Amino acid sequence: MPSDRAPPKGWPVTLQYLPACVYHSSVPPAIRSFIDGAPSRPRGHLHTTPARTCAIRAISTPSHPAHGQRGLFALGTIAARTLIVEYVGEIHCDARAESDYDLSLHRLADGTSVGVDAQRMGNEARFVNDFRGIRAKPNAEFGERRTAAGALRMGVWSLSERIKKGEEIVVSYGKAWWQTRGLSDARAAAWASEGLVGAR
Ligand SMILES: C[S@@+](CC[C@H](N)C(=O)[O-])C[C@H]1O[C@@H](n2cnc3c(N)ncnc32)[C@H](O)[C@@H]1O
């Protein structure tokens, strides 16, 4: 059953909030079946998401590299190796090179890429920032899993240490993510000096 949860506090009015992933028309039926999981599996929990463990906050600290944007923060202590929030968005098979909110969900043997894009619609997970310039290292990562009902879904997971209440939840987008987006020279130099991104 789709969740009827209202958008969380801090959700921008200009974006569509999704409590669960939706399929874009670019996903063929056979790929939908693969993503949804085998029909023989119980499907009752297909759309359920964990209780809220994190909140969206506007970033008002001038020294924060995403100042003026939003970030994701722990509402309470989050245990190690725990699913913090499912990464909800449009599951698609078309190209989304312009999106900063698109994650690869699966690559099929024939080369077809299935992504989950939260640029136009999604949930709080779309606000997770990259650790660079915020913390010494990530405290979370993106990871896909099959839900209890067999559906393939992306999530934000804590790493080997617990996350304390109030901490910003940050992942690594990967060096390539930043390199393809053209860092400012100042940021590239600062990050290169810390070994975070190779100098361009
Ligand atoms: C997936 S969004 C993260 C949420 C974003 N802060 C927002 O409010 O929509 C990715 C964008 O966040 C910003 N961002 C994330 N991590 C950053 C970092 N470490 N330094 C600078 N900008 C960052 C960049 O503008 C990037 O394109």
Side-chain angles (χ1 to χ4, degrees):
M1 289 286 290
S3 164
D4 57 359
R5 284 204 321 199
K9 203 173 162 217
W11 185 260
V13 289
T14 51
L15 288 177
Q16 186 181 345
Y17 175 72
L18 293 178
C21 285
V22 295
Y23 280 106
H24 182 254
S25 56
S26 57
V27 185
I31 296 183
R32 284 188 189 210
S33 298
F34 170 75
I35 299 293
D36 280 349
S40 59
R41 292 182 188 180
R43 307 181 75 85
H45 300 293
L46 185 63
H47 294 288
T48 59
T49 50
R52 278 197 177 120
T53 55
C54 54
I56 301 164
R57 286 200 195 139
I59 294 167
S60 56
T61 310
S63 58
H64 192 293
H67 177 230
Q69 300 186 5
R70 294 173 173 86
L72 200 59
F73 292 79
L75 276 173
T77 301
I78 297 172
R81 305 273 176 220
T82 300
L83 177 63
I84 300 169
V85 61
E86 190 171 291
Y87 194 93
V88 169
E90 268 183 303
I91 297 176
H92 68 95
C93 288
D94 57 353
R96 302 280 174 107
E98 79 297 342
S99 174
D100 279 351
Y101 299 82
D102 188 28
L103 299 181
S104 174
L105 183 60
H106 189 72
R107 198 171 180 86
L108 287 124
D110 68 0
T112 306
S113 272
V114 185
V116 53
D117 182 18
Q119 182 167 48
R120 292 179 292 217
M121 55 188 89
N123 71 346
E124 48 270 65
R126 76 186 293 289
F127 292 108
V128 70
N129 285 320
D130 179 280
F131 76 100
R132 292 167 178 82
I134 302 172
R135 296 178 59 89
K137 55 183 186 172
N139 55 14
E141 65 181 356
F142 293 123
E144 73 275 9
R145 86 216 189 276
R146 291 248 171 219
T147 65
L152 189 61
R153 291 291 183 265
M154 182 61 69
V156 178
W157 296 75
S158 56
L159 295 174
S160 56
E161 290 174 25
R162 72 193 167 101
I163 301 175
K164 293 185 194 132
K165 180 179 178 177
E167 271 182 19
E168 181 168 358
I169 298 162
V170 287
V171 297
S172 174
Y173 296 172
K175 291 181 182 182
W177 193 93
W178 290 105
Q179 283 164 335
T180 56
R181 280 159 180 83
L183 291 167
S184 72
D185 287 347
R187 184 162 291 159
W191 287 356
S193 73
E194 293 175 56
L196 297 174
V197 176
R200 290 177 299 154

